[in-house]
């Protein structure tokens, strides 16, 4: 029996596009990207339609479990543009854990994470409207937890409106210089090495 050779891609997902190839709604789709994805390609660790940045796509259905459902947590880093200036007290609250409302109407205190104030990233494509003359902050947030809309809910709970959310890395896979809509294919060994997943060969061999 011939083993299926899986393929692995990273995409800089533009805003106003869902992380799906098919939808009953009139929305931007992954199929609108100018790239010939093979049959069976799907997104891993989806971004909501308003969010941008690093999205993994693969034909390997086991990646979701290996990456997000194993015993070892894996880090994701986001660049977040928020309204108003973030105080040191708010930074500490975001870092140490902040209550948010999650599925089932449950109050959840987020797991401690890394948060710092940064300057506006160089080379970032401007979105309209995006005024620089009103108080705002750019944050870099690295976390291992991934509740639904967690980053947006965290900054909202801290009193700041999320104006822009960009995922820039998952472990050692980084967005780099990929422009919105661009795709990069990765070799299988490099893909899992950069995700810090060590048991992938056994999983792939069991397909």
């Amino acid at each position: 029996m011939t083993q299926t050779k899986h393929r692995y891609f990273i995409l800089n997902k533009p805003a106003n596009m869902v992380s799906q190839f098919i939808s009953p709604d009139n929305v931007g789709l992954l199929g609108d990207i100018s790239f010939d994805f093979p049959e069976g390609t799907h997104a891993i660790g989806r971004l909501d339609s308003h969010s941008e940045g690093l999205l993994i796509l693969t034909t390997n259905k086991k990646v979701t479990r290996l990456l997000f459902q194993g015993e070892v947590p894996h880090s994701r880093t986001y660049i977040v543009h928020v309204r108003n200036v973030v105080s040191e007290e708010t930074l500490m609250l975001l870092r140490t854990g902040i209550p948010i409302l999650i599925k089932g109407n449950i109050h959840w205190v987020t797991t401690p994470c890394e948060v710092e104030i940064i300057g506006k990233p160089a080379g970032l494509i401007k979105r309209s409207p995006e005024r620089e003359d009103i108080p705002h902050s750019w944050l870099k947030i690295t976390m291992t937890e991934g509740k639904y809309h967690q980053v947006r809910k965290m900054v909202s709970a801290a009193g700041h409106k999320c104006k822009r959310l960009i995922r820039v890395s998952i472990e050692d896979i980084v967005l780099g210089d990929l422009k919105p809509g661009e795709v990069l294919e990765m070799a299988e060994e490099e893909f899992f090495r950069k995700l810090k997943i060590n048991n992938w060969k056994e999983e792939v061999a069991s397909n």
Side-chain angles (χ1 to χ4, degrees):
M1 182 175 171
T2 303
Q3 181 179 317
T4 302
K5 180 172 175 58
H6 289 297
R7 295 175 68 185
Y8 306 87
F9 311 92
I10 62 172
L11 162 71
N12 185 344
K13 188 191 84 66
N16 303 316
M17 174 180 288
V18 297
S19 301
Q20 301 164 225
F21 284 93
I22 300 172
S23 174
D25 303 315
N26 183 22
V27 292
L29 298 168
L30 295 176
D32 299 333
I33 297 293
S34 180
F35 189 86
D36 187 18
F37 290 106
E39 183 178 352
T41 301
H42 62 285
I44 304 293
R46 294 178 176 183
L47 290 169
D48 64 57
S49 63
H50 299 299
S51 298
E52 310 161 63
L54 180 62
L55 184 66
I56 292 174
L57 298 105
T58 180
T59 57
N60 187 346
K61 294 180 180 178
K62 296 188 177 182
V63 173
T64 294
R65 181 166 59 80
L66 287 169
L67 184 60
F68 295 122
Q69 297 170 9
E71 293 182 2
V72 179
H74 293 273
S75 66
R76 288 89 90 182
T77 299
Y78 302 85
I79 300 298
V80 191
H81 188 202
V82 301
R83 183 172 295 166
N84 296 323
V85 176
V86 176
S87 68
E88 284 297 326
E89 291 78 11
T90 297
L91 281 178
M92 188 57 63
L93 184 60
L94 291 169
R95 287 171 181 153
T96 56
I98 187 168
I100 61 172
L101 199 62
I102 63 171
K103 187 176 180 180
N105 209 32
I106 297 169
H107 290 275
W108 179 269
V109 178
T110 59
T111 300
C113 62
E114 299 175 22
V115 187
E116 61 179 312
I117 294 177
I118 60 171
K120 182 177 180 178
L124 196 62
I125 292 177
K126 186 174 181 178
R127 281 177 56 184
S128 183
E130 189 174 298
R131 293 177 55 184
E132 298 287 345
D133 61 335
I134 58 176
H136 65 278
S137 296
W138 288 89
L139 302 175
K140 180 180 179 182
I141 301 178
T142 299
M143 59 173 54
T144 56
E145 194 173 44
K147 302 297 183 185
Y148 181 69
H149 285 175
Q150 179 165 337
V151 175
R152 293 182 183 276
K153 288 179 178 180
M154 286 172 63
V155 297
S156 176
H160 293 268
K161 179 178 175 59
C162 181
K163 302 178 66 177
R164 193 168 181 182
L165 176 62
I166 307 162
R167 184 160 61 199
V168 294
S169 72
I170 301 175
E171 288 292 7
D172 291 338
I173 293 182
V174 298
L175 193 61
D177 295 329
L178 275 186
K179 295 180 173 58
E182 288 187 343
V183 178
L184 174 68
E185 184 164 5
M186 299 185 68
E188 188 170 61
E189 294 218 2
E190 179 189 19
F191 176 80
F192 284 109
R193 175 174 55 80
K194 288 192 170 183
L195 286 180
K196 302 179 182 177
I197 296 174
N198 300 317
N199 61 333
W200 65 271
K201 287 186 178 180
E202 296 88 344
E203 295 285 349
V204 172
S206 67
N207 282 350

